[in-house]
Structures are given as C-alpha cells and as structure tokens.
Amino acid sequence: MDYFFEERENLRFDLYDVDSKSPNLSKHDFLGQVFCTLGEIVGSQGSRLEKPIVGIPGKKCGTIILTAEELNCCRDAVLMQFCANKLDKKDFFGKSDPFLVFFRSNEDGSFTICHKTEVVKNTLNPVWQAFKISVRALCNGDYDRTIKVEVYDWDRDGSHDFIGEFTTSYRELSRGQSQFNVYEVINPKKRGKKKKYINSGTVTLLSFLVETEVSFLDYIKGGTQINFTVAIDFTASNGNPAQPTSLHYMNPYQLNAYGMALRAVGEIIQDYDSDKMFPALGFGAKLPPDGRVSHEFALNGNPQNPYCHGIDGVMEAYYRSLKSVQLYGPTNFAPVINHVARYAASVKDGSQYFVLLIITDGVISDMAQTKESIVNASRLPMSIIIVGVGPAEFDAMEELDGDVVRLSSRGKYAERDIVQFVPFRDYIDRTGNHILSMARLAKDVLAEIPDQFLSYMRVRGIKPSPAPPPYTPPIHVLQTQI
C-alpha cells in the first residue's frame, strides 16, 4: 500500500471461513472484522499491532496481528529454477507428487509465504518450471535474510504431506548453480526418531537470473527528453470564431475548450521538456495570402521554425492564427501525425520521445490514411493524445484509441497502443470549477504515456542512461588581500 503521513488511511479486515468456490461472500461464514488505520499499525511498537476481532455479538472472535514493513526500493526480480533428487516416497501407491513452498522471514522472526511452485506428478526426482519473483517479495531486498523452503507431497484432499525443509538466503542463491546450492531436505520429526536418518532428499538450484525492472523515471533521470507537439483543428465545423457558439470563440474573459485542453495537458508535459520550445501546428484551414488549404501549417506563421516558447507561446500563436486564417476543411489527421513521425524516426536511440496532442471537434475525413499513419508510428518513439471538443459523435476516435481492439491498417497491426482519446465534454465541471476538471482531464490523458513509453524502450532493448552525479555547488575561494 502507499503510505501518506498526511492522510488518514482507514483499513478494514474481514475474516471468513471459506466454504465453497463461490465469489459471493454471503455464501461463506463470517468470522469477524477489525477496523484500524495504516498509521496505527506503523505507529505501534515494532510496527506490530494486535487487536481483538469483533463483529459477532457476545462472541470472542480471537485476535488479529498486523505488521507493517516499509518496502525498500529494490526493483530487481529473479528468475529461478529448481529440481530435486531422491525425495521421500509419501504415497502408498506410486511415488510422491512434490511441490515447493517459499517463505520470506519477517523482522519479528515469523514467516510469510511468498511463492508456491506447481506440482510435478508421480516422481521423486522432479524438475519444476522456472519462476519469476520480485526480490522485495522474496526477502524485501535484504540479501542475508532467511528464506525458508518447504517440500510437500500433494494430496487431492488438501492434506498435503510434509516431506522436509531447508533454509537459504538471497546471497546464497545468487551464487547460481554450484555445489553451494544443493540443499539437504530435512524432516525434523524423522531426524528426531531415526538414528541413521541422513535426509529426505536434496533440492538443487538449476539457474538464477537477476532482472532489474526499470521505471519511466529512470529514463527521465538518465536524460531522455519528452518532445511535445500540438496540432489544432481549424475546420469550419468549429463555427465562426467571432460567434460565442463557436468552439474557437475568442472570449476575452475565459479560455475556450481548445485553450483549456491545451493548457491542461501542456502544463504537465512541459516539465519534462528542457528547452520548452514546442512546435504548434494547425490543420484544415485556408491560409493567406492565396487561400490554399493546409493540413500542417505553423501557428506562428513560420513553416521553417514552427516552435513556440512555452505553453503561453503556443496560446499566443493559436490566437494569432485564428485572426489570420479562414476555417475550412476537411479534417485530415495523417499529415500532422506524419510530421511528428518524421522527427521521431530520426532519433530511435531512446534519447527522445515524442508526444503529439491533437485537439479536434470531431468527424475525421481521412480515416484510412490516419490508421496507416498510426500503425507506422507505433514502431517509433511517439504517443498520440486526441482530445475531442464539442458535441460530435466520436466513434471513430474510440477505434483509433485501440484499447478495445488493436488498431490495424491493410492487415498490418499496430506494434503497440500509442493513442489515447478523451472527449472534453466528460470533464466540464458543472459547478464551473475549471481547475479541478482540467486536472482530471490531464490525469486521464497522460496516465497511459509512461507505459507506452516503457513498451517502446522494452521492445527496442533500450536501457536508461545512468543518472548524472548529484549536483555539488562550486567552492568559491575567497582571495584575501594582505
């Protein structure tokens, strides 16, 4: 769980006796419940809280013991494989059906189960499948903490027979396949009774491979830049900008829908872009002086250098364009997508990632070309955010989003999902609290970017660059006059 010192995090634990496989809780016996807060557990001595279980009047329901331990920031996972030899025969007919259960030890010496292997049927020399487990789950990143492994013979009725156990640690396992990683399986009861008892078989580690899980922030710390490009829909269906009914209405007192969406998303993304220079494009307008229709024109009027300084610069260029161009049509997305894709195709080394924000009032005219562009772009370091403004039906946009069905074009499927669509109207706060509604819009629109970013880096096998050393201020030597 996430722990916030400044918030009261209420917890409730309900205990049941499982009677069947039914997911409906009312079909099971309720044994009682406990209420507490996360702060209560963390703040108890040794972060261990004991509380009576309540909830059944007039009945003592026992006690619950809750322990909390802060996860350390170890993000490694290990891939391990084990086999066993000459395990004790437990079944009257046939051999044993062995499986392993792994436990990590807690700070108070108790054990918590963290992994169970599959059952290998009818053998005393099983080879289990390799499994992956996070180092946190195995030992909370403490390499010397005891890891206990129990070996059982599986029985259909659930009364599995204990074959024996052994203990190890992450540090021992990390030596990999070696004479150090062959473990005697010991059954303490048998050892106590039999003089000549040696062991109940051996378990051998076959392989041990560490994988470090990297996060979005590892790449950002290593210097990967997020380049942000904006494309705005200047088609006639938006309505005349001089009229209050227009989606492009230039209201001196309040941002229109385009301005609000632009600010909401842009102000968060700009923090990840070091030079704060954003290309801003428009599509679907007739341009001065000759009235030609363009589907990728620079809002600042400079096709050689469409960059605007900061979100304020983009807003300024947007308002300037509204005064000089004529809204027209059709609504073509492919040209602006291809515009950004050309840049993304030139830097595939993981040093840059491109995010294109398209704000549109809706019905798309070049669906086939747009799908083709997105499928091609899914192989590049880029993501596309589409915000739909106005009352139109946005069915086509949902298809481009690809959350339900993977997007394809002419039989070719998108390598990964790179489009996130949201309708602006879902975020208009009836109470007029634009700040809150825009924060929600930005959160939903940007939520998928880190995973889309990581999926690109993973497929390409790009690792984050090491973070630069922490900044140390230069030491000024004071020259003293003698």
Side-chain angles (χ1 to χ4, degrees), residues 270-382:
Q270 71 176 353
D271 289 344
Y272 298 96
D273 189 318
S274 61
D275 64 2
K276 309 278 183 278
M277 296 299 286
F278 308 120
L281 309 170
F283 57 92
K286 278 185 170 178
L287 304 190
D290 51 1
R292 66 184 177 88
V293 175
S294 170
H295 293 294
E296 48 166 321
F297 62 90
L299 293 191
N300 64 4
N302 183 350
Q304 274 66 53
N305 184 3
Y307 292 87
C308 303
H309 192 269
I311 297 303
D312 291 335
V314 176
M315 300 290 285
E316 211 174 296
Y318 160 59
Y319 289 132
R320 233 192 358 258
S321 280
L322 277 178
K323 290 181 182 138
S324 63
V325 306
Q326 184 195 339
L327 302 193
Y328 202 66
T331 308
N332 291 354
F333 281 10
V336 290
I337 294 172
N338 295 338
H339 175 103
V340 176
R342 282 195 297 275
Y343 286 96
S346 66
V347 276
K348 294 186 188 164
D349 61 356
S351 63
Q352 301 191 36
Y353 191 86
F354 295 78
V355 176
L356 167 62
L357 169 64
I358 300 175
I359 311 177
T360 176
D361 76 331
V363 190
I364 182 168
S365 316
D366 65 340
M367 190 64 176
Q369 292 89 326
T370 293
K371 280 169 134 177
E372 176 85 356
S373 298
I374 292 171
V375 169
N376 292 336
S378 70
R379 297 197 301 276
L380 300 173
M382 69 181 277

Side-chain angles (χ1 to χ4, degrees), residues 188-459:
K189 273 190 185 161
K190 267 192 167 180
R191 185 160 57 183
K193 284 180 189 165
K194 291 185 178 174
K195 284 245 164 69
K196 287 187 177 169
Y197 177 80
I198 300 169
N199 61 38
S200 297
T202 58
V203 168
T204 302
L205 174 72
L206 293 175
S207 65
F208 184 92
L209 196 69
V210 182
E211 293 177 16
T212 300
E213 300 276 333
V214 290
S215 73
F216 174 66
L217 288 178
D218 290 329
Y219 289 92
I220 300 297
K221 280 182 196 154
T224 297
Q225 286 293 309
I226 307 278
N227 295 305
F228 180 47
T229 302
V230 181
I232 290 179
D233 181 336
F234 281 83
T235 54
S237 50
N238 282 285
N240 177 355
Q243 304 291 328
T245 51
S246 167
L247 294 165
H248 279 308
Y249 178 54
M250 294 173 70
N251 181 339
Y253 303 109
Q254 193 186 347
L255 290 175
N256 61 26
Y258 279 87
M260 278 163 80
L262 189 76
R263 250 194 200 295
V265 179
E267 285 189 337
I268 291 178
I269 287 193
Q270 71 176 353
D271 289 344
Y272 298 96
D273 189 318
S274 61
D275 64 2
K276 309 278 183 278
M277 296 299 286
F278 308 120
L281 309 170
F283 57 92
K286 278 185 170 178
L287 304 190
D290 51 1
R292 66 184 177 88
V293 175
S294 170
H295 293 294
E296 48 166 321
F297 62 90
L299 293 191
N300 64 4
N302 183 350
Q304 274 66 53
N305 184 3
Y307 292 87
C308 303
H309 192 269
I311 297 303
D312 291 335
V314 176
M315 300 290 285
E316 211 174 296
Y318 160 59
Y319 289 132
R320 233 192 358 258
S321 280
L322 277 178
K323 290 181 182 138
S324 63
V325 306
Q326 184 195 339
L327 302 193
Y328 202 66
T331 308
N332 291 354
F333 281 10
V336 290
I337 294 172
N338 295 338
H339 175 103
V340 176
R342 282 195 297 275
Y343 286 96
S346 66
V347 276
K348 294 186 188 164
D349 61 356
S351 63
Q352 301 191 36
Y353 191 86
F354 295 78
V355 176
L356 167 62
L357 169 64
I358 300 175
I359 311 177
T360 176
D361 76 331
V363 190
I364 182 168
S365 316
D366 65 340
M367 190 64 176
Q369 292 89 326
T370 293
K371 280 169 134 177
E372 176 85 356
S373 298
I374 292 171
V375 169
N376 292 336
S378 70
R379 297 197 301 276
L380 300 173
M382 69 181 277
S383 288
I384 301 166
I385 294 167
I386 304 172
V387 177
V389 293
E393 280 305 312
F394 292 119
D395 300 353
M397 304 295 164
E398 299 287 2
E399 187 186 342
L400 296 178
D401 192 316
D403 276 350
V404 183
V405 180
R406 176 64 64 94
L407 187 71
S408 63
S409 168
R410 298 190 301 179
K412 208 164 68 176
Y413 281 86
E415 189 180 289
R416 47 196 192 93
D417 172 20
I418 63 166
V419 179
Q420 170 71 340
F421 166 73
V422 296
F424 185 79
R425 57 171 172 251
D426 290 1
Y427 296 90
I428 295 181
D429 193 295
R430 300 280 169 259
T431 62
N433 183 343
H434 295 306
I435 294 172
L436 194 66
S437 48
M438 290 310 96
R440 283 205 343 266
L441 171 80
K443 185 172 171 235
D444 287 359
V445 167
L446 296 171
E448 288 187 20
I449 300 262
D451 283 343
Q452 290 178 2
F453 174 100
L454 285 171
S455 73
Y456 173 81
M457 300 296 179
R458 238 177 250 132
V459 168

